Amino acid sequence: MKTTKIFGAGELGAAADIIRRGGLVAFPTETVYGLGADAANGAACAEIYAVKGRPGDNPLIIHVHDIAAADKIAVVCPLAKKLFETFAPGPITIVMQCRPPSINGGPDVGVRIPRHPVARKFLELCDTPVAAPSANISGRLSPTTAGMVMRDLDGRIDGVIKSDDDIECGLESTVVSVLGGAVRLLRAGTISPEQIEECIGAPVTVATAPTAGERALSPGQKYKHYSPSVPMETIEDIDALHAITDKHKNEKIGVMTLAAPKQSTDGWDVRVFKSPADYAKNLYRTMDEMGRGGCKKIIAILPPDTGVGRAIRDRLVKGAAV
């Protein structure tokens, strides 16, 4: 079994050496921790799929440190360039036409330029595009701490970069496609469709989920994701909480909400978030803590379906799906 080494922020060169040698290193971004491999190394990318148990048709997002590096692997058209210049470095992934030879096994590729300072320096030192899905077992919670990464992948990967810098967003990046000269939202994130529409001066359409046999352009479109270790249920209104918890009177229940419950919460693990942004930032860590803290079930009160609330709802509904 591999020994997973923990790298500090001052050891990024050693971690980058592992990537160039074909190994796997988890690293922090402003969204979640990514599991990195040299995107130009087919064997290394195949190892990502094997380690995660990831379906083979679930595409990988490629991470680079600047627009010039993105343009080496994809056709950064004027529309993509405008989106990058407005929102990157940051939590946006743009699906573009891939430059030959294909780096991702298809005619298109999703590219992201992370904002996290450790991620940007690490990617620069790697000096190669880095494929990096979330650093977890496929279908489970995306990790927002090095500890969460190690609980899933210790002994399976070569290294984890541990950073004292906080994860800023807590949700995976917004993914959009610019194929065909129009912007389509493939996965909701902290950058909203309204912000993108303001940037490009045109409507953003929301892509439908791929049908059976249809190729996915983005992670999060096709398979069950974001699931905690215990059952989870979502409700629209906190006033409906009482009826649900009555069914679990003798059990420890976790509650995630923007408004405090009106009834007694003795014995519950209640997390009241200050804002939708706070909800997003702490979502996966909170579900992880509730699952490890003895909660038999998690009840998530859905935030309003606007701004980052749309992305939170997407993750909660998918995470609660059976």
Side-chain angles (χ1 to χ4, degrees):
M1 178 180 286
K2 294 179 181 178
T3 299
T4 300
K5 178 172 175 55
I6 305 294
F7 294 98
E11 301 173 289
L12 300 183
D17 285 342
I18 290 176
I19 294 292
R20 290 193 296 272
R21 294 199 304 266
L24 304 185
V25 175
F27 62 98
T29 77
E30 73 278 13
T31 59
V32 300
Y33 268 74
L35 178 57
D38 181 352
N41 184 327
C45 290
E47 186 67 7
I48 286 179
Y49 283 95
V51 164
K52 283 176 58 71
R54 184 180 180 89
D57 62 346
N58 200 8
L60 299 174
I61 290 172
I62 311 303
H63 293 60
V64 295
H65 74 279
D66 62 16
I67 296 177
D71 197 48
K72 292 179 180 178
I73 60 173
V75 179
V76 181
C77 63
L79 185 55
K81 185 177 181 182
K82 187 169 187 178
L83 290 169
F84 273 138
E85 288 177 343
T86 302
F87 299 112
I92 190 167
T93 295
I94 304 176
V95 177
M96 301 168 283
Q97 179 184 342
C98 195
R99 291 194 185 278
S102 171
I103 199 168
N104 204 25
D108 47 66
V109 62
V111 182
R112 183 161 112 74
I113 305 170
R115 183 164 60 216
H116 195 292
V118 170
R120 295 199 70 198
K121 184 62 177 177
F122 173 61
L123 292 169
E124 186 177 4
L125 292 170
C126 287
D127 196 30
T128 185
V130 173
S134 55
N136 60 339
I137 299 298
S138 188
R140 295 184 187 172
L141 297 175
S142 297
T144 54
T145 67
M148 289 176 70
V149 175
M150 292 294 280
R151 280 193 288 276
D152 258 11
L153 301 180
D154 188 18
R156 297 169 178 255
I157 62 177
D158 299 288
V160 177
I161 298 171
K162 185 176 182 180
S163 171
D164 292 332
D165 291 318
D166 212 357
I167 296 291
E168 179 186 348
C169 302
L171 296 180
E172 300 83 355
S173 62
T174 300
V175 182
V176 296
S177 165
V178 297
L179 301 172
V183 176
R184 287 192 300 152
L185 179 70
L186 303 179
R187 182 177 71 188
T190 54
I191 296 172
S192 70
E194 293 81 6
Q195 289 174 289
I196 295 170
E197 288 176 342
E198 183 178 353
C199 167
I200 64 174
V204 172
T205 60
V206 178
T208 56
T211 57
E214 187 178 2
R215 181 170 167 269
L217 293 176
S218 166
Q221 282 193 296
K222 200 170 182 181
Y223 297 99
K224 181 175 171 63
H225 286 73
Y226 326 119
S227 296
S229 60
V230 297
M232 182 167 69
E233 184 173 347
T234 62
I235 57 176
E236 290 281 355
D237 191 340
I238 197 167
D239 291 337
L241 185 62
H242 186 77
I244 294 173
T245 52
D246 274 352
K247 301 176 186 176
H248 305 278
K249 288 182 178 178
N250 299 317
E251 297 177 338
K252 184 177 181 180
I253 302 297
V255 179
M256 300 189 298
T257 176
L258 286 169
K262 297 175 183 177
Q263 67 266 42
S264 170
T265 58
D266 290 346
W268 300 355
D269 184 351
V270 179
R271 310 291 180 96
V272 181
F273 301 110
K274 296 177 291 186
S275 65
D278 184 47
Y279 203 155
K281 179 178 179 178
N282 293 289
L283 179 64
Y284 295 141
R285 180 184 59 80
T286 298
M287 287 195 282
D288 176 61
E289 290 174 352
M290 287 178 171
R292 292 187 297 110
C295 291
K296 300 301 181 183
K297 187 172 188 175
I298 297 172
I299 307 295
I301 290 80
L302 296 170
D305 190 18
T306 58
V308 71
R310 183 182 290 110
I312 298 169
R313 292 171 69 95
D314 170 75
R315 304 313 193 269
L316 288 173
V317 170
K318 288 177 178 174
V322 178

